[in-house]
Each structure stands twice: as C-alpha cells, then as structure tokens.
DNA sequence: GCTAACAACGATATGTTATATCAATTTTTA
DNA sequence: TAAAAATTGATATAACATATCGTTGTTAGC
C-alpha cells in the first residue's frame, strides 16, 4: 500500500479519535513509513536536516512520537530505543492486542509479526499464576535479518552486534 | 539460599570457565543479589556511595556488569536499561536457553520465570518462517507487581507508569 | 468577529544511560 | 624477575530522554 494512502487512513483514524494529525505529525509519520527500519528520535531529526525538509528539532520529534504512539500509529521499541510505524494502520488495526517485533540488531530492520493467539493465551495464563499483572503486552525479539547474516558471511570487517 | 553461598557458587563457575571473579566483581554481584529489584549501572554506583563500601565509579560498574553478563551471572533488561542477578546461579544454571522476565515498571521488581515450553516452541516456529534469525533469546514482559498495584488502589498520588 | 480556553510548537536546560580511550596497577606466565 | 596479559582508574564524549516555560495557532462560546 502506498504511503500516501496510509497517511490518509491515519488522518481519518485520528479524526475518529478526536485528535489531530497536524502537518508536522504527518511528516514524522511519513518519515518512519519511508524508512523501513526503526529510527531513534535523533535519527528522525537528522533525516529532516539532511533531506532539507525544514527543521525538526529532536524535542519536537519526541513530543510528536508520543502523540503518534498514543494514537496507535507508531510503536516504541524499548530494547532498541527506536521507533517504527505501526504496520497495521491501513488494515483492520484493532485485532492486534499483542504486538511482536523481530528487530535486526545490525540494521534495525523490523518485522511486526502476529503470533498464534493460542500461544499468547498460554503466556497470559503463565503470568496470571505469578504476582505480576501484564500491561501493554509487546514482545521485542533480538534478531539478525537474512541480509545482514549474508553480509557477515562474505565480508570479514563487518561486525556482528 | 544465602547470598554468601550463591557468591561462592558464582566464583566456582568462573573458575570452571577460566575467568576470575575478583573482589570488585563479587561486590557488584553481591549488590545485585541484595537488592531484589533491577538496578541501573548508576544505581549500583550510588548504592556503593551510600553504603560506604568504598568507591565504585559508574564506568567500573559498566565494565564489571559486562563481565558478569558474559559469565552468565547477571542479565541485562534491555527494556528497562537495568540489570539483575541471574536467579539460577546456584541451581542447575544451564537448563535455561530462553529467559523470560516479568518486570514491574513501577518498582523494577523482577521475576525470572520459565514459561511453558510450548509457548517458547511456537514462538521459535513463528520466527523461523520469517527472514530473521533469533539471537540471545530473552523475553522481557512489562508488568505491574501486586504490591504496586495495591499501592495504586489506596494512594491517589502514586503514578502508574 | 472577539475573546477565553486549549492545543500545539519552539527553545533551553538538565537528567539518564552508555561507549571510547588511554594511563596506571595488578596478576599471570615464561 | 621481566614481559605479557588482565584489571582497574580516570576523563571525555556520545546517545537517549524529560522538564519547563513562553509563544503561536486553533477552537468554542459569546
């Protein structure tokens, strides 16, 4: 699906929620959609500088990312301290209570996967037996993507992790 | 099990691995064992200052934590940027290929749990179908512990998350 | 349209987490 | 005991993040 369509869908979702996807917020979301990999707030600010899209200071990026996260448009990957656009903006978007992210530690490529509901159910059951209550379930799994794995095989000066 | 015994076991494990659990390393591990909650490197440095156990600058703590992690004696919780002592130092210690941590976002209390093998197996299968390869499997699950959950109910000025 | 209330944005300061580097010291090995 | 290796000390700097306050822009009621 094209980025422009996703942005339009995002805008509609915000209107439904009574929030506003301002032009700056839209541009940060677009930046995340164009870069497929996860980006830090400072990465995003740098991208705006380099692509001469007008200034976007890191503090603004943080504020905007917070808004986008609250509006279910981006996910924060806590293990990487980076952010990705939600891959379900344009599809149903509400089926996904538990997100699972495979994150390449080398290039920050991210895949948002959907693990078997049965598995997630079992997980919840395991946790119910403890004295902990799960909140905002999100799994982040450290991986190496195929591309970077290949790189490792053929280039000796590439460092893993 | 008493901390002293765990430390002795840790020392033996290091000797078996051909590494040395020096007195400073031992003291950092002991610090993590005494505090049941996860601590940041700077938290540990502060603890040494307060308890007048002699200086332990943050940079030393980082170096020592790296050693302890390499020697499977502590885990880094990437989502919290904090560290905990491995809860399996004194038991078999090698059965645990995939560690799962329940982390209280309020007080950093941590429980290292063993989730249903079925769940872990399914998770691995899901990942095999992607173009990612899992490394250093470790799951961190954001939770609220019962104690902090109770606190929330009875005190109005306590903030959740 | 005017104004009050609120939301969004800009700017600065500061806090927290982490890595890099090089010198000094201690321990091990030959 | 001297050389080599491991450990520790010390400083600088990078990377990630929050707090605060003033300004600008938008919305809602009059």
């Amino acid at each position: 699906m094209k980025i422009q369509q996703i942005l339009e869908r995002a805008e509609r979702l915000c209107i439904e929620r009574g929030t506003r996807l301002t032009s700056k917020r839209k541009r940060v979301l677009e930046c995340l959609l164009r870069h497929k990999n996860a980006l830090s707030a400072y990465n995003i600010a740098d991208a705006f500088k380099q692509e001469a899209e007008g200034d976007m200071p890191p503090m603004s990026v943080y504020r905007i990312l917070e808004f986008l996260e609250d509006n279910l448009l981006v996910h924060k990957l806590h293990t990487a301290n980076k952010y990705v656009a939600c891959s379900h903006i344009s599809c149903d978007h509400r089926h996904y209570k538990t997100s699972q992210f495979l994150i390449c530690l080398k290039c920050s490529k991210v895949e948002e996967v959907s693990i078997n509901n049965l598995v997630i159910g079992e997980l919840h059951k395991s946790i119910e037996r403890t004295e902990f209550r799960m909140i905002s379930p999100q799994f982040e799994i450290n991986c190496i993507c195929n591309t970077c794995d290949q790189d490792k095989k053929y280039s000796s000066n590439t460092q893993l992790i």
Side-chain angles (χ1 to χ4, degrees), chain A:
Chain A
M1 184 165 251
K2 281 174 187 162
I3 289 177
Q4 210 48 45
Q5 291 176 276
I6 298 173
L7 289 173
E8 281 164 25
R9 174 94 175 109
E11 199 154 19
R12 258 179 291 138
L13 285 168
C14 283
I15 290 169
E16 282 170 25
R17 291 172 58 90
T19 59
R20 281 181 296 161
L21 191 68
T22 63
S23 76
K24 288 184 189 282
R25 288 167 175 171
K26 203 185 231 174
R27 282 164 65 209
V28 168
L29 179 57
E30 186 192 353
C31 180
L32 280 173
L33 287 164
R34 274 188 292 114
H35 295 80
K36 296 192 169 186
N37 298 10
L39 299 175
S40 76
Y42 284 87
N43 290 158
I44 294 171
D46 286 349
F48 274 87
K49 260 193 202 124
Q50 285 176 22
E51 296 165 22
E53 300 184 50
D55 209 34
M56 184 71 79
M59 302 310 108
S60 298
V61 175
Y62 270 109
R63 193 155 31 196
I64 288 170
L65 286 171
E66 193 185 350
F67 170 89
L68 295 173
E69 209 184 354
D70 289 345
N71 285 268
L72 312 175
L73 300 172
V74 316
H75 298 284
K76 172 165 188 180
L77 305 175
H78 292 92
T79 59
N81 294 320
K82 288 186 162 62
Y83 302 79
V84 279
C86 175
S87 65
H88 302 122
I89 294 176
S90 49
C91 54
D92 190 331
H93 201 246
R94 263 173 312 186
H95 278 347
Y96 303 88
K97 289 179 190 157
T98 307
S99 302
Q100 296 94 36
F101 300 94
L102 308 182
I103 307 164
C104 177
L105 287 186
K106 261 185 98 181
C107 71
S108 294
K109 185 155 78 180
V110 176
E111 191 163 325
E112 192 173 347
V113 294
S114 297
I115 289 170
N116 197 328
N117 271 344
L118 203 98
V119 174
I120 301 303
E122 277 298 323
L123 208 58
H124 279 274
K125 268 192 250 170
S126 295
I127 294 167
E128 270 163 29
R129 283 191 288 270
T130 71
E131 53 172 287
F132 286 78
R133 182 170 57 79
M134 195 168 170
I135 54 171
S136 57
Q138 170 169 319
F139 295 101
E140 302 173 24
I141 303 170
N142 290 335
C143 297
I144 295 296
C145 75
N146 278 357
T147 311
C148 291
D149 218 10
Q150 292 294 320
D151 282 359
K152 192 191 72 181
K153 282 172 193 152
Y154 298 117
S155 107
S156 56
N157 65 339
T158 320
Q159 291 196 351
L160 183 53
I161 312 174

